[in-house]
């Protein structure tokens, strides 16, 4: 089942969409309500809704297969180019495209582009030879290999085969298994056109002969060890992390079911702002994200970002991203950032929003200055970042 062959229920994140009662079968509404209540706010036709369907995405964008006849396509509020730029930063992809390359017009095109890049890079690595490593194995052999288990041999002297401990060089290692599982997930997504799907299948088959197919979560792609023999795997695993982060389990079982592809925009915004700041904060400052905070012996939390002075090691700013656009800062957000600042003995607390607030916040809460600042997603991301840093650190950004 391909998305093109099913009927789309088109939404835009955080925007209410209405549909006539006969547009969506009740059975489809039931599946949405039962399986995707966390992602989609749905209200069935009733007198209050004037007998229309009301649907709203709760900050997710992507594609959700519901039945062979229906799928939900959720568009982002930000432009596709800026969404792609956020992904590029958030996952440290650092992908360079040829000048004049076609710009993505939809989320599906962005997905296809990244899937094609991953497949092509895996095929290139297969042609060079997959990275191999030594794995410890223990087997009973008719010949001596590696180290013989003498204790076992003495206990059972009649055994013809000896228990041996040895190291074997193999390509069936986690580095390559992550690649195979990600390609398998992409094949099942149903989001790629045949021209891209064929490349993905080709890369998967190139791995299939020597790599075991095992499931992995996105966390497996983080903090891996790279060196001169597998340095190019860093970009491969960054791409894998993107797909594994945003591809969920199907709501039904079976190899032929499509998989939902959903990007959590609040999480993406948080990752993007953190990585952009790490790459662009002036010298003398260090960005850490996320940063653990301990209120007492039983209660821990994580702050989105902190900025510290490298020379003194003092935490200068506590920052929290808020992917929403209210008229003013809510009391819950204000109390939360003040609690973070108090816990770290920091005098500057910053709430970051993707759009300007009608009423900006700049107040003193005891010794703590609490402000709302904007890291906009409406225009060029780098220019928006510079504007944000100018507001945050006005005396340190003259090098631009």
């Amino acid at each position: 089942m391909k998305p093109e062959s099913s009927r789309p229920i088109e939404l835009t994140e955080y925007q209410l969409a209405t549909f006539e009662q006969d547009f969506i079968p009740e059975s489809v509404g039931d599946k949405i309500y039962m399986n995707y209540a966390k992602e989609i706010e749905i209200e069935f036709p009733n007198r209050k809704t004037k007998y229309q369907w009301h649907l709203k995405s709760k900050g997710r964008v992507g594609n959700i297969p519901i039945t062979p006849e229906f799928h939900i396509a959720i568009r982002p509020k930000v432009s596709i180019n800026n969404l792609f730029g956020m992904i590029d930063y958030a996952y440290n992809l650092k992908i360079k495209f040829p000048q004049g390359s076609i710009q993505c017009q939809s989320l599906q095109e962005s997905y296809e582009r990244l899937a094609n890049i991953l497949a092509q890079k895996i095929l290139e690595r297969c042609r060079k030879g997959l990275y191999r490593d030594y794995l410890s194995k223990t087997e009973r052999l008719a010949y001596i290999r590696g180290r013989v288990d003498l204790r076992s041999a003495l206990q059972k002297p009649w055994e013809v085969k000896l228990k041996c401990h040895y190291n074997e060089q193999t390509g069936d290692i986690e580095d390559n298994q992550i690649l195979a599982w990600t390609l398998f997930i992409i094949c099942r997504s149903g989001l790629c056109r045949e021209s891209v799907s064929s490349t993905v299948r080709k890369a998967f088959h190139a791995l299939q002969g020597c790599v075991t197919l095992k499931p992995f979560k996105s966390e497996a792609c983080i903090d891996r060890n790279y060196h001169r023999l597998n340095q190019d795997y860093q970009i491969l695993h960054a791409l894998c992390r993107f797909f594994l982060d945003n591809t969920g389990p199907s709501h039904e079982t079976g190899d032929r079911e499509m998989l939902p592809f959903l990007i959590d925009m609040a999480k993406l915004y948080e990752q993007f702002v953190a990585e952009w700041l790490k790459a662009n904060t002036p010298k003398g400052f260090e960005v850490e994200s996320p940063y653990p905070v301990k209120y007492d012996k039983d209660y821990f939390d994580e702050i989105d970002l902190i900025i510290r002075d490298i020379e003194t090691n003092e935490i200068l700013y506590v920052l929290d991203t808020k992917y929403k656009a209210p008229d003013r800062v809510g009391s819950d957000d204000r109390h939360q950032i003040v609690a973070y600042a108090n816990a770290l003995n920091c005098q500057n607390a910053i709430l970051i929003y993707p759009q300007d607030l009608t009423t900006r916040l700049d107040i003193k809460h005891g010794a703590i200055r609490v402000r709302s600042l904007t890291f906009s997603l409406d225009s060029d991301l780098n220019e928006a970042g510079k504007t944000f840093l100018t507001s945050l650190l006005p005396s340190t950004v003259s090098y631009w």
Side-chain angles (χ1 to χ4, degrees), residues 18 36 63 76 93 108 124 147 175 187 190 240 299 324 339 351:
T18 61
Y36 295 102
N63 192 282
L93 300 182
Q108 184 175 339
E124 182 182 343
R147 180 172 59 85
D175 275 0
C187 288
C240 289
Y299 186 50
K324 49 188 176 182
L351 291 161

Side-chain angles (χ1 to χ4, degrees), residues 7-220:
R7 190 174 186 179
I9 301 170
E10 296 185 346
L11 309 177
T12 300
E13 58 166 327
Y14 286 124
Q15 292 184 10
L16 178 67
T18 61
F19 303 90
E20 294 302 320
Q21 186 169 1
D22 59 358
F23 182 82
I24 302 174
E26 189 168 343
S27 60
V28 172
D30 287 336
K31 281 181 175 287
I32 296 171
Y33 178 76
M34 294 297 294
N35 299 299
Y36 295 102
K38 291 182 179 179
E39 293 81 15
I40 305 292
E41 185 180 303
I42 181 169
E43 194 166 359
F44 286 66
N46 58 56
R47 183 177 295 181
K48 178 185 171 184
T49 67
K50 298 181 180 179
Y51 298 98
Q52 294 180 318
W53 292 94
H54 283 189
L55 283 83
K56 183 191 287 187
S57 164
K58 299 178 181 179
R60 305 293 202 279
V61 301
N63 192 282
I64 304 175
I66 305 300
T67 68
E69 293 77 31
F70 285 88
H71 73 276
I72 297 176
I74 311 169
R75 296 185 297 266
K77 290 188 299 182
V78 304
S79 71
I80 293 297
N81 284 343
N82 275 359
L83 177 67
F84 196 84
M86 292 169 70
I87 292 169
D88 197 6
Y89 261 105
Y91 290 90
N92 288 306
L93 300 182
K94 299 180 176 64
I95 297 171
K96 303 294 184 185
F97 295 103
Q99 269 193 324
S101 61
I102 299 173
Q103 298 295 310
C104 294
Q105 300 299 317
S106 70
L107 187 57
Q108 184 175 339
E109 286 180 26
S110 300
Y111 183 98
E112 283 185 329
R113 177 184 281 192
L114 291 174
N116 190 55
I117 290 169
L118 176 62
Q120 294 285 4
K121 286 184 175 292
I122 290 174
L123 285 170
E124 182 182 343
R125 181 68 212 214
C126 286
R127 286 190 289 269
K128 294 178 182 176
L130 292 174
Y131 172 61
R132 303 168 72 85
D133 201 358
Y134 287 95
L135 295 182
S136 299
K137 298 190 72 174
T138 299
E139 281 186 295
R140 287 195 173 273
L141 302 172
Y143 53 90
I144 295 176
R145 182 176 182 183
R147 180 172 59 85
V148 176
D149 190 326
L150 292 176
R151 188 174 187 178
S152 174
L154 292 172
Q155 286 176 340
K156 298 180 181 179
W158 57 86
E159 285 278 1
V160 177
K161 292 185 177 180
L162 299 173
K163 188 176 182 180
C164 299
H165 304 283
Y166 63 94
N167 293 326
E168 181 179 63
Q169 192 182 47
T170 176
D172 192 14
I173 57 175
E174 196 169 276
D175 275 0
N176 296 319
Q177 291 166 353
I178 290 171
L179 306 183
W181 179 251
T182 305
L183 292 173
F184 175 72
I185 289 295
I186 294 170
C187 288
R188 284 193 61 194
S189 74
L191 288 173
C192 297
R193 290 169 295 185
E194 181 55 33
S195 57
V196 176
S197 292
S198 61
T199 306
V200 174
R201 288 195 300 270
K202 185 178 178 182
F204 178 68
H205 292 315
L207 293 173
Q208 204 173 16
C210 57
V211 176
T212 303
L213 187 63
K214 294 171 57 178
F216 286 92
K217 294 184 178 180
S218 62
E219 290 82 0

Side-chain angles (χ1 to χ4, degrees), residues 13-15 59 77-78 266 269 321-330 333 352-359 372-378:
E13 58 166 327
Y14 286 124
Q15 292 184 10
K77 290 188 299 182
V78 304
Y269 184 60
T321 55
K322 299 294 180 184
Y323 186 75
K324 49 188 176 182
D327 291 334
R328 62 182 68 237
V329 174
D333 292 345
I352 308 171
Y353 293 87
Q355 294 178 11
D356 288 334
L357 305 187
T358 305
T359 305
S372 65
L373 297 179
T374 304
F375 196 127
S376 176
L377 303 177
D378 295 334

